[in-house]
Amino acid sequence: MLRIHVSGMDLSRVRMATRPDAMWETILSFHRLRDRRGSTVFGKWRKESRNRLNGEARLLSAVVPLRGYFPDFLTPSVGGAEPFGLDAGMEALRDTPTDRIRGELGLLAGGAARTRRPSGATAAALPEAALAEGRPEPLGRLITTLRAYHRAAVEPYWPHIRASVEADRAVRGRALLDGGADELLATLPPMIRWRAPVLEADYPVDRELRLDGRGLLLQPSFFCRGTPVVYRDPGLPPVLVYPVTHPGAPAVAEPGPWLGRLVGHTRSTVLRSIGNGCTTSELARRTGVSLASASQHASVLREAGLVRTLRHGSSVLHTLTPLGAALLRGGAPVAVP
């Protein structure tokens, strides 16, 4: 069990990440690559990604075990809500102090002593000792390997990853507007429970994390699965990485091809992309149409009673009406409150 102690000051400093974090998605995807669970969501991705890899998985296994602890420095911390892109994340990784690398790899080595090494691993493929020495070559090799892995396993799917995170942000944003940070924390996925003043979560080990007025960054992740993730080092800026809801266990099911024939394929895509809610800009990115076209399609769907549009500041948030949700479910009855 993970227990995050949230003071009143911390509650006022809870914030949502603005987009997926490239470093977290890269490292967590490597866990999913070697995990046989979640085949409905990740099965096709695993097969395609493995076909593109060229030895990167063997090298990364040295510093990212199949389960349990992996070094915090692989997912550099950010101070605000703007997560790292790949280039910025790699630069932050390159700037990691040698003492920190040595200490975190020491924790990793302690865990590895109790588990078997990957089958076929060789000393050349296990760079922990060389990394801990602080020489630039092993760290550069790790960064090169991470870049190659990201290019093969994450980059081709980035639009889908980003759309999934944006959909989650829309849900959390509505909760924040409706009831503040209390409501936001209460609507996190089921493995996370807000029992003020403690945020509890399913976790592999017992952990107590005290925010001490620093607030908490909520980072939705496409490749996080089952339980959330936090830094092992309590001195790092607090971040809670949690899984988004994937198609396959959604509130709205995938419509059949008849919907495209009924309303047109583009408008069908627009309706499906609105899903749990999005702004006009997010809708344009998800569907690959212009901002003006996205606005026009949303307007038509709104006039038909399928979409509701709410204004928030300078942007608007589109959500499905019960009728729109029923249409996506294939004409299932609309629930009456």
Side-chain angles (χ1 to χ4, degrees):
M1 177 77 72
L2 170 68
R3 299 175 182 85
I4 302 176
H5 298 268
V6 185
S7 69
M9 177 68 74
D10 294 313
L11 197 61
S12 69
R13 294 180 176 177
V14 172
R15 58 204 187 279
M16 284 291 305
T18 59
R19 58 179 179 171
D21 186 294
M23 300 301 288
W24 278 109
E25 296 299 342
T26 299
I27 298 301
L28 292 176
S29 74
F30 189 52
H31 282 285
R32 301 289 79 76
L33 186 76
R34 298 167 293 168
D35 186 353
R36 296 181 180 179
R37 295 171 297 177
S39 59
T40 300
V41 176
F42 300 112
K44 184 172 182 287
W45 165 80
R46 286 191 188 107
K47 181 178 180 180
E48 293 175 350
S49 297
R50 285 169 179 159
N51 289 338
R52 284 191 291 264
L53 292 173
N54 187 28
E56 293 87 358
R58 180 174 60 89
L59 294 173
L60 290 180
S61 295
V63 291
V64 185
L66 179 60
R67 59 182 61 87
Y69 171 76
F70 61 85
D72 290 337
F73 71 79
L74 293 174
T75 51
S77 58
V78 294
E82 185 69 19
F84 277 124
L86 184 66
D87 290 340
M90 292 300 178
E91 285 306 308
L93 175 55
R94 194 184 301 276
D95 292 339
T96 307
T98 301
D99 288 348
R100 180 181 170 189
I101 293 177
R102 185 180 298 118
E104 293 184 7
L105 288 177
L107 294 173
L108 182 65
R114 296 186 294 273
T115 59
R116 292 181 57 190
R117 286 293 190 189
S119 177
T122 65
L126 301 174
E128 304 103 311
L131 274 171
E133 292 173 5
R135 293 185 284 112
E137 295 85 358
L139 185 57
R141 184 185 181 201
L142 173 62
I143 290 172
T144 298
T145 302
L146 280 170
R147 281 188 179 276
Y149 172 82
H150 178 92
R151 189 161 51 246
V154 179
E155 186 178 278
Y157 308 92
W158 194 252
H160 184 65
I161 293 168
R162 182 159 189 163
S164 297
V165 169
E166 287 174 345
D168 183 272
R169 273 175 49 82
V171 174
R172 310 306 161 207
R174 289 204 303 275
L176 183 63
L177 290 172
D178 290 343
D182 265 301
E183 183 70 14
L184 168 60
L185 295 178
T187 61
L188 290 172
M191 78 286 297
I192 306 170
R193 299 163 293 278
W194 174 230
R195 294 169 178 164
V198 178
L199 189 63
E200 296 181 350
D202 298 338
Y203 208 67
V205 297
D206 283 335
R207 283 283 310 275
E208 303 282 339
L209 177 59
R210 300 186 182 277
L211 302 181
D212 296 329
R214 294 172 295 171
L216 180 66
L217 174 64
L218 300 175
Q219 176 67 65
S221 168
F222 182 85
F223 285 109
C224 185
R225 183 189 179 277
T227 61
V229 185
V230 296
Y231 288 124
R232 188 185 190 280
D233 183 354
L236 292 173
V239 57
L240 180 69
V241 182
Y242 66 88
V244 301
T245 299
H246 292 286
V252 177
E254 189 75 9
W258 58 267
L259 182 59
R261 295 194 293 269
L262 178 66
V263 300
H265 292 293
T266 300
R267 201 153 289 158
S268 168
T269 300
V270 169
L271 187 65
R272 187 168 60 249
S273 297
I274 288 174
N276 289 325
C278 64
T279 66
T280 305
S281 297
E282 292 165 349
L283 181 60
R285 282 198 299 271
R286 294 180 190 181
T287 56
V289 301
S290 69
L291 192 63
S293 180
S295 179
Q296 192 269 337
H297 284 301
S299 178
V300 171
L301 293 171
R302 182 171 61 252
E303 292 171 1
L306 304 177
V307 168
R308 180 184 296 111
T309 300
L310 300 174
R311 180 164 294 279
H312 178 58
S314 60
S315 62
V316 295
L317 179 70
H318 307 291
T319 59
L320 296 177
T321 64
L323 181 60
L327 187 61
L328 283 179
R329 285 195 296 268
V334 179
V336 177

